[in-house]
């Protein structure tokens, strides 16, 4: 029997973990797809294609004609467009689709969280809070809404150097998680941070900053996730494997 072919929209830790699980599963073959934004993407244990498909209909054509039997969308919780493209393309092609999406972080008692809908609202919230020294952990491609804030010193941490235009006068820190509470506490202390801005990405790799902020009494501006299309969702790679198993040919 031909193997079940899975197209995996990747770019997250969960996608890499699922690729590893699939790689050791008989009767399944996987092609991972990356958008190509990251200059040095993590290695994946399977064939990889890189770059956009060229929109919904091109993705549907790629899925159709038996090229792929299943689609797993394991893009980042803040990937705003691709999950919707994936849902529509899968419907057009008649291919079952799963969203692999880690759960969001939740506040605990004593946290000072200010939830906002998007990055522009986060910048306005900083003005409202009278923030003076802000740690931005929103990713290098999300800094522009903060560029015009007056009287605020920004410390922007990202994995890679931000593209132009960057934030004038900001302190840039290049670092890649996972981070621990000790180093995150030191970062908040050393830069005298009074407000942390983060997207609600969820996951363990970068959650230590929230514990450090809690302990230091640092306020958190938490950017909520974009909408997710209706349909089945797995929160972990193991749950995604169970869904794939139940849809095997
Ligand atoms: P997006 O707004 O959802 O997608 C924009 C376009 O990029 C899509 O329409 C698609 O182009 C292409 N694309 C996105 N993911 C792709 C994939 N896995 N394979 C092939 N093409 C893909 O996404 P984004 O926010 O620009 O993020 C791009 C990628 O970086 C995503 O895969 C995401 O998982 C990852 N990422 C994003 C964030 C974030 O905060 N946004 C953080 C970490 C990682 P076509 O229409 O041409 O197919």
């Amino acid at each position: 029997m031909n193997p079940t072919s899975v197209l995996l929209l990747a770019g997250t830790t969960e996608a890499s973990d699922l690729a590893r699980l699939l790689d050791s599963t008989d009767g399944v073959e996987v092609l991972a797809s990356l958008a190509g934004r990251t200059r040095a993407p993590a290695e994946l244990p399977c064939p990889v294609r890189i770059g956009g498909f060229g929109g919904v209909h091109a993705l549907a054509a790629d899925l159709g004609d038996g090229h792929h039997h299943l689609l797993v969308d394991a893009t980042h919780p803040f990937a705003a467009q691709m999950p919707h493209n994936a849902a529509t393309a899968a419907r057009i092609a008649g291919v079952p689709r799963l969203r692999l999406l880690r759960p969001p972080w939740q506040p605990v008692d004593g946290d000072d969280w200010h939830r906002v809908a998007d990055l522009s609202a986060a910048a306005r919230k900083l003005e409202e809070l009278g923030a003076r020294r802000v740690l931005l952990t929103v990713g290098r491609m999300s800094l522009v809404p903060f560029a015009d804030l007056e009287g605020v010193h920004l410390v922007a941490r990202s994995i890679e150097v931000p593209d132009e235009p960057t934030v004038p006068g900001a302190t840039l820190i290049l670092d890649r998680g996972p981070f621990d509470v000790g180093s995150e506490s030191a970062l908040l202390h050393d830069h005298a941070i009074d407000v942390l801005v983060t997207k609600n990405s969820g996951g363990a790799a970068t959650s230590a900053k929230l514990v450090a902020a809690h302990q230091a009494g640092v306020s958190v501006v938490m950017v909520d996730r974009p909408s997710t299309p209706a349909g089945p969702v797995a929160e972990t790679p193991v749950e995604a494997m169970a869904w794939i198993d139940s849809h095997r040919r």
Side-chain angles (χ1 to χ4, degrees), residues 9-12 33-35 37 49 51-55 74-76 78-83 85 138 199:
L9 303 177
T12 54
S33 174
L34 294 171
R37 305 280 195 283
R49 66 166 296 288
F53 293 88
T75 54
H76 190 268
F78 278 82
Q81 187 59 47
M82 200 58 193
N85 287 10
V138 290
K199 295 174 174 175

Side-chain angles (χ1 to χ4, degrees), residues 28-236:
V28 178
E29 62 184 24
V30 59
L31 174 66
S33 174
L34 294 171
R37 305 280 195 283
T38 308
R39 292 172 195 129
E43 291 242 329
L44 287 159
C46 62
V48 177
R49 66 166 296 288
I50 297 182
F53 293 88
V56 170
H57 291 282
L59 175 57
D62 217 77
L63 283 170
D65 297 333
H67 291 149
H68 301 287
H69 307 114
L70 300 174
L71 175 63
V72 177
D73 170 12
T75 54
H76 190 268
F78 278 82
Q81 187 59 47
M82 200 58 193
H84 295 280
N85 287 10
T88 307
R91 196 165 55 244
I92 293 169
V95 167
R97 172 195 61 95
L98 175 74
R99 178 78 169 114
L100 172 52
L101 185 66
R102 63 178 98 117
W105 295 313
Q106 300 293 342
V108 299
D109 279 353
D111 276 340
D112 181 30
W113 281 23
H114 302 265
R115 290 180 57 184
V116 293
D118 54 33
L119 294 162
S120 300
R124 290 197 298 276
K125 181 60 75 176
L126 290 175
E127 288 175 331
E128 195 184 309
L129 292 172
R132 285 285 164 264
R133 297 188 59 86
V134 173
L135 176 60
L136 283 180
T137 60
V138 290
R140 71 185 159 95
M141 288 188 280
S142 301
L143 299 176
V144 174
F146 303 94
D148 295 332
L149 286 172
E150 286 181 12
V152 180
H153 182 77
L154 300 172
V155 179
R157 180 173 68 190
S158 57
I159 296 173
E160 296 180 336
V161 181
D163 297 327
E164 297 295 334
T166 189
V167 187
T171 302
L172 296 180
I173 297 176
L174 297 183
D175 208 352
R176 181 193 286 269
F179 302 106
D180 60 40
V181 176
S183 62
E184 296 292 63
S185 297
L187 180 68
L188 295 177
H189 176 266
D190 293 350
H191 291 274
I193 298 298
D194 55 9
V195 184
L196 162 70
V197 182
T198 180
K199 295 174 174 175
N200 197 340
S201 299
T206 58
S207 62
K209 62 190 170 192
L210 300 174
V211 180
H214 176 102
Q215 291 175 354
V218 165
S219 301
V220 175
V221 175
M222 182 63 73
V223 182
D224 282 338
R225 296 173 170 196
S227 66
T228 305
V233 176
E235 292 191 343
T236 65

